[in-house]
Amino acid sequence: MSRLHSRRSWVESANGHPDFPLDNLPFGVFSPAGLAPRAGVAIGDYIFDLSAAGAAQLFTGDALRAANAATGEGLNALFALGSGPRRALRDALLALLDEASPRRDELLHRQADCRLHLPAHIGDYTDFYVGIHHAENVGKLFRPDNPLLPNYKYVPIGYHGRASTVGVNDMLVRRPLGQTLAPGNTAPNFGPSKRLDYELELGIWIGPGNDHGQPVPIGSSHEQVAGFCLLNDWSARDLQAWEYQPLGPFLSKSFATTVSPWVVTPEALEPFRQAQPPRPDGDPQPLPYLWDDHDQRTGALAIELEVLLLTNAMREAGLAPERLALSNTLNMYWTVGQMISHHTVNGCKLQAGDLLGSGTLSGPQRSQLGSLLELTEGGKNPLTLGNGETRTFLQDGDEIILRARCTREGFASIGFGECRGRVSAAL
Amino acid sequence: MSRLHSRRSWVESANGHPDFPLDNLPFGVFSPAGLAPRAGVAIGDYIFDLSAAGAAQLFTGDALRAANAATGEGLNALFALGSGPRRALRDALLALLDEASPRRDELLHRQADCRLHLPAHIGDYTDFYVGIHHAENVGKLFRPDNPLLPNYKYVPIGYHGRASTVGVNDMLVRRPLGQTLAPGNTAPNFGPSKRLDYELELGIWIGPGNDHGQPVPIGSSHEQVAGFCLLNDWSARDLQAWEYQPLGPFLSKSFATTVSPWVVTPEALEPFRQAQPPRPDGDPQPLPYLWDDHDQRTGALAIELEVLLLTNAMREAGLAPERLALSNTLNMYWTVGQMISHHTVNGCKLQAGDLLGSGTLSGPQRSQLGSLLELTEGGKNPLTLGNGETRTFLQDGDEIILRARCTREGFASIGFGECRGRVSAAL
């Protein structure tokens, strides 16, 4: 548990920093200008160079093992070590960066001068669908009277995504070409997607993993989590509508996925865990492999999620990005632990560096909708922006920025940094 | 092109070998007893040690580059080099192993004494659905009057599969646990799958890959193929029926996929290429990005595919495996080139070592059906085996063996070796 008062660091910009105070300490992989990639920890406006700190013999024991496992190649080996060494490294960093400790400015790089990389090699990427309001909103577009399919409240629905096209800030997302079926037509057209959309999701980085054939019990499923990020599951709605039956989304999603570069640890998020909101009256009891008292008492996360849009016109006019939605991870119908136990109940093997997406985390209110598909009711009702522009779906040059923030009375607030991607014109 | 008469090797067992004559030379990764994994080439009953041959300075130029790229870690770097160096290495091996060349028995290991490994690290695994007879047969179970969905003849349908659970011979496949919905019920049960099935597929190993955002044109799509294998897409039909809407198969497939360990090269398969069978009258013309004269003239493969079953009872009685089906890759509605161009038309990035599955390659006849789902009409009509046993779906102990063979008048026949996996009891 974090302290009741926020910790102070000799890195002055960390104190009161909206994302990266000393209480956060997310891991990432970065390159200082002209130098090779290395592992680091965000602290205020700076990055603390983990690799250099290890070489300077600032760690011992489990913390040293963890620091040595985090390299410029990626954090997979750190993730694989699990919570013990990760906590030891966090404790060592909390001490090293505390205002009572000697300054070590030689280990800091300005974030603004660094390039951030994908934090781990992704073995497999799985996207879930646990945002029940999103599932209802999308279902209503097809089945107004019966939006949720019969399996939804029993099965944490998920599908395999494409690992090779996951990237980090600042990602250029080329508008995909593909087949689409115009209303009333029976033969498809080919061309750039006209219904390009974003999806606001929580990303989960997998830690130790499991042996092939050995399910992860719900009681220990949280031990599999190495950390969290923001995830934008870019979606071409017109490609999706034509291709998705019977085997699910494919090219409508595989052109790009963007994640935020910093891995926020379960330790940093401990103060923001809470009981899973009770299931609405009449909802079925989950099957036993998905049900655990501890998971129900502590398995939900209270993370505020924000979507912002910056258009070319706004950029040229010097305007700030405009908020499109403010939602929360409490809109997850299933916990992360339930997602992991479901994923592995058939013996499927998870490995360190695998990435899970939550699915779009819309809330019940209009201001909480995590995609344009929902905000415009399938493109029927355009959105009017503050500068008078309108949008049904994304236009070239549009930049989508996701942010996340955790606040709780008596605890230091922490944030995730940004997840940024910008649409570029089709080939 | 191969010679009109089959080549002879100083490895006597290669001459007339059903799978691995000198004309084949498939690549793989193997461990001689007690030794570390290394790259090799199957020749008759032996494996030629590529790594040792490289160390003995038997290669030069492009052949040397290719041999050095093939290591015990996997063939990814060899795949990445593309067809030029691969052909150079093949030519060098054809000369080295020719009966006119000096014996090099010190570079041979008996296959029977070696363990075979997955030939490459799989970045992403994609499973297609291009076996039109399978799509029709499965569609008929749900929609007797309208088995194919409207997109089928326009879109090479595919979905992302799970890379982490792909394995090679002799794979033990644990019967998966999961949710299933009994007929007439509204709430699911939990337990071992009762409708465990195999699927007979062609596997395609990807070579150089493409940059993110850059589609692979149909005219050069075959340059992306590093080789071929057999693939068994194990499927839990009861899990699949309950989970697959709206996002497609997930746990019903992700528990296991088995591939054959040898990578049969495009060069070895050249004599067995032919024109894609003409589309039936009334079928639509594919969109231009999927249409290329050269691909239509040479993009089909004539590979005979066989499924065999060995049950515990047959094993105990000393009986040979029983053939369940004999089909052919000519049953693909789309060519491999079309699959690759479709996969990348949205900018999706393929990488060396990615794996594609064709989908189940059933033929139009009953003797050509590539899954039990089709052979038993959804489990309604049990199959009677030669020893009197019956099967609707697979039982524990059942071993599925896939084989493939290419024959053509005037050319040496080649085979793929076996793809073997055996069902073990649920946890």
Side-chain angles (χ1 to χ4, degrees):
Chain A
M1 260 319 182
S2 284
R3 311 275 172 71
L4 284 175
H5 299 288
S6 62
R7 308 162 187 273
R8 294 186 61 82
S9 172
W10 51 263
V11 183
E12 292 83 358
S13 62
N15 302 318
H17 194 279
D19 286 322
F20 307 126
L22 183 53
D23 298 80
N24 193 350
L25 299 179
F27 295 104
V29 175
F30 73 105
S31 297
L35 298 177
R38 60 199 65 195
V41 174
I43 178 80
D45 297 334
Y46 290 83
I47 303 174
F48 180 79
D49 190 326
L50 255 190
S51 306
Q57 302 190 299
L58 298 184
F59 304 116
T60 59
D62 266 1
L64 179 62
R65 273 177 70 211
N68 285 343
T71 74
E73 301 288 301
L75 305 178
N76 298 68
L78 171 64
F79 291 175
L81 290 175
S83 61
R86 188 178 67 228
R87 281 172 190 270
L89 178 56
R90 176 180 171 83
D91 288 344
L93 289 164
L94 285 169
L96 271 173
L97 290 162
D98 192 276
E99 64 178 349
S101 294
R103 298 187 73 92
R104 297 209 172 252
D105 291 292
E106 76 281 10
L107 298 176
L108 298 182
H109 304 267
R110 285 185 60 85
Q111 281 200 42
D113 301 335
C114 295
R115 187 166 155 223
L116 285 155
H117 305 282
L118 202 60
H121 169 80
I122 300 169
D124 280 287
Y125 158 48
T126 304
D127 200 20
F128 281 85
Y129 197 56
V130 308
I132 190 167
H133 303 294
H134 172 74
E136 281 173 338
N137 292 335
V138 173
K140 266 179 206 158
L141 296 175
F142 297 98
R143 299 171 301 276
D145 298 329
N146 190 23
L148 284 185
L149 290 167
N151 56 16
Y152 190 85
K153 292 183 174 177
Y154 294 97
V155 179
I157 296 286
Y159 70 103
H160 307 296
R162 181 79 193 177
S164 70
T165 50
V166 179
V168 292
N169 313 346
D170 291 313
M171 195 167 178
L172 265 190
V173 174
R174 195 186 284 287
R175 180 181 298 275
L177 301 172
Q179 296 189 27
T180 58
L181 190 72
N185 281 11
T186 55
N189 297 311
F190 179 78
S193 170
K194 293 175 180 156
R195 292 164 71 91
L196 185 58
D197 201 356
Y198 58 85
E199 291 194 333
L200 170 64
E201 302 197 14
L202 179 72
I204 299 111
W205 291 101
I206 293 295
N210 60 310
D211 290 336
H212 189 179
Q214 293 292 335
V216 176
I218 179 78
S220 60
S221 55
H222 283 281
E223 280 294 310
Q224 291 294 337
V225 178
F228 299 89
C229 63
L230 285 158
L231 187 151
N232 182 350
D233 177 26
W234 302 93
S235 300
R237 304 298 181 191
D238 40 2
L239 275 60
Q240 188 174 354
W242 172 235
E243 75 169 1
Y244 90 103
Q245 283 188 315
L247 300 180
F250 183 46
L251 301 190
S252 54
K253 303 276 193 173
S254 64
F255 59 96
T257 303
T258 311
V259 294
S260 55
W262 292 108
V263 180
V264 178
T265 63
E267 289 70 51
L269 286 174
E270 268 183 26
F272 312 104
R273 303 198 78 86
Q274 63 176 65
Q276 176 72 351
R279 298 193 145 212
D281 281 349
D283 280 12
Q285 171 71 14
L287 285 161
Y289 79 94
L290 295 172
W291 196 255
D292 174 77
D293 280 348
H294 181 74
D295 182 60
Q296 288 298 308
R297 281 200 314 276
T298 66
L301 293 161
I303 308 171
E304 204 173 72
L305 304 169
E306 189 181 11
V307 186
L308 302 105
L309 169 66
L310 183 66
T311 68
N312 274 341
M314 292 160 67
R315 198 179 289 110
E316 284 157 18
L319 297 172
E322 177 164 336
R323 178 189 287 175
L324 299 186
L326 188 66
S327 187
N328 200 292
T329 48
L330 290 172
N331 291 307
M332 292 166 66
Y333 188 76
W334 300 98
T335 67
V336 171
Q338 288 173 321
M339 289 158 59
I340 289 171
S341 286
H342 181 66
H343 202 322
T344 58
V345 72
N346 69 342
C348 182
K349 178 186 175 78
L350 299 181
Q351 303 180 99
D354 284 349
L355 177 67
L356 312 184
S358 61
T360 310
L361 295 180
S362 299
Q365 311 298 325
R366 184 181 154 75
S367 62
Q368 301 169 326
L369 299 177
S371 67
L372 284 174
L373 183 73
E374 294 164 271
L375 277 169
T376 67
E377 294 166 75
K380 288 196 295 287
N381 299 313
L383 204 66
T384 301
L385 305 174
N387 67 349
E389 289 185 277
T390 60
R391 286 291 181 278
T392 44
F393 290 97
L394 294 172
Q395 295 191 4
D396 295 344
D398 283 358
E399 184 168 6
I400 290 294
I401 304 157
L402 308 183
R403 292 180 186 153
R405 194 167 161 76
C406 304
T407 56
R408 181 178 164 194
E409 185 67 33
F411 291 84
S413 299
I414 64 170
F416 277 48
E418 291 183 335
C419 173
R420 296 181 84 109
R422 184 171 168 184
V423 178
S424 66
L427 270 184
Chain B
M1 263 313 183
S2 284
R3 311 274 171 72
L4 284 175
H5 297 288
S6 62
R7 306 162 188 276
R8 294 188 62 82
S9 171
W10 52 263
V11 183
E12 292 83 0
S13 63
N15 302 319
H17 194 278
D19 285 323
F20 307 125
L22 183 52
D23 299 79
N24 193 349
L25 300 179
F27 295 104
V29 175
F30 73 105
S31 297
L35 298 177
R38 61 200 63 196
V41 174
I43 178 80
D45 296 336
Y46 290 84
I47 304 175
F48 180 79
D49 190 327
L50 256 190
S51 307
Q57 302 190 298
L58 297 185
F59 304 116
T60 59
D62 266 1
L64 178 63
R65 273 176 71 210
N68 285 345
T71 74
E73 300 287 301
L75 305 179
N76 298 69
L78 171 63
F79 292 175
L81 290 176
S83 60
R86 188 179 67 230
R87 280 173 191 269
L89 180 55
R90 175 181 171 81
D91 289 342
L93 289 164
L94 284 170
L96 271 172
L97 290 162
D98 192 276
E99 64 178 350
S101 294
R103 300 187 73 91
R104 298 210 172 250
D105 291 292
E106 76 282 8
L107 298 176
L108 298 182
H109 304 268
R110 284 186 61 83
Q111 279 201 42
D113 301 335
C114 295
R115 189 168 153 222
L116 285 155
H117 304 284
L118 202 59
H121 169 79
I122 301 170
D124 280 287
Y125 158 46
T126 304
D127 201 18
F128 281 86
Y129 197 54
V130 307
I132 189 167
H133 303 294
H134 173 73
E136 281 174 336
N137 293 335
V138 172
K140 267 179 206 157
L141 297 174
F142 297 99
R143 299 171 302 275
D145 298 329
N146 190 22
L148 284 186
L149 290 166
N151 56 16
Y152 190 85
K153 292 183 175 176
Y154 294 98
V155 179
I157 295 287
Y159 68 104
H160 307 296
R162 181 80 193 176
S164 71
T165 50
V166 179
V168 292
N169 313 348
D170 291 312
M171 194 166 179
L172 265 189
V173 175
R174 197 187 284 287
R175 181 182 297 274
L177 301 171
Q179 296 190 28
T180 57
L181 190 72
N185 281 11
T186 55
N189 297 311
F190 179 78
S193 169
K194 293 175 181 156
R195 291 164 72 91
L196 185 57
D197 202 354
Y198 58 85
E199 292 193 333
L200 169 65
E201 303 195 15
L202 179 72
I204 298 110
W205 291 102
I206 294 294
N210 60 310
D211 289 337
H212 189 178
Q214 293 292 336
V216 175
I218 180 78
S220 60
S221 55
H222 282 281
E223 279 295 308
Q224 291 293 337
V225 178
F228 298 89
C229 63
L230 286 159
L231 187 150
N232 182 349
D233 176 28
W234 303 92
S235 299
R237 304 297 180 189
D238 40 1
L239 274 61
Q240 188 175 352
W242 173 236
E243 76 169 359
Y244 89 103
Q245 284 189 312
L247 300 181
F250 183 46
L251 301 190
S252 54
K253 304 275 193 173
S254 65
F255 58 97
T257 303
T258 310
V259 293
S260 55
W262 292 109
V263 180
V264 178
T265 62
E267 290 69 52
L269 286 174
E270 268 183 26
F272 312 104
R273 303 198 78 85
Q274 62 176 66
Q276 175 73 349
R279 298 193 145 212
D281 281 348
D283 280 12
Q285 171 71 13
L287 285 161
Y289 79 94
L290 295 173
W291 196 256
D292 174 76
D293 279 346
H294 181 73
D295 183 60
Q296 288 298 308
R297 280 201 314 276
T298 66
L301 293 162
I303 307 171
E304 204 172 71
L305 303 169
E306 190 180 11
V307 185
L308 301 105
L309 169 65
L310 183 67
T311 69
N312 275 341
M314 291 159 68
R315 198 178 290 109
E316 284 158 20
L319 296 172
E322 178 166 336
R323 178 189 287 174
L324 298 185
L326 188 67
S327 187
N328 199 292
T329 48
L330 291 172
N331 291 307
M332 292 166 66
Y333 188 77
W334 301 97
T335 66
V336 170
Q338 289 173 321
M339 290 158 59
I340 288 170
S341 286
H342 181 66
H343 202 322
T344 58
V345 73
N346 69 342
C348 182
K349 178 188 174 77
L350 299 181
Q351 299 175 281
D354 283 351
L355 177 66
L356 312 184
S358 60
T360 310
L361 294 181
S362 299
Q365 310 299 324
R366 186 181 153 73
S367 62
Q368 301 169 326
L369 299 176
S371 68
L372 284 173
L373 184 72
E374 294 165 270
L375 277 170
T376 67
E377 292 166 74
K380 289 196 296 286
N381 298 314
L383 203 65
T384 301
L385 305 174
N387 67 350
E389 288 186 276
T390 60
R391 287 292 181 279
T392 45
F393 290 98
L394 294 172
Q395 295 191 6
D396 294 346
D398 284 357
E399 184 169 6
I400 291 293
I401 304 157
L402 308 183
R403 292 181 187 153
R405 192 166 164 76
C406 303
T407 56
R408 180 177 163 194
E409 185 65 32
F411 291 83
S413 299
I414 65 170
F416 277 49
E418 291 183 335
C419 173
R420 296 181 84 106
R422 185 172 167 183
V423 179
S424 66
L427 271 183

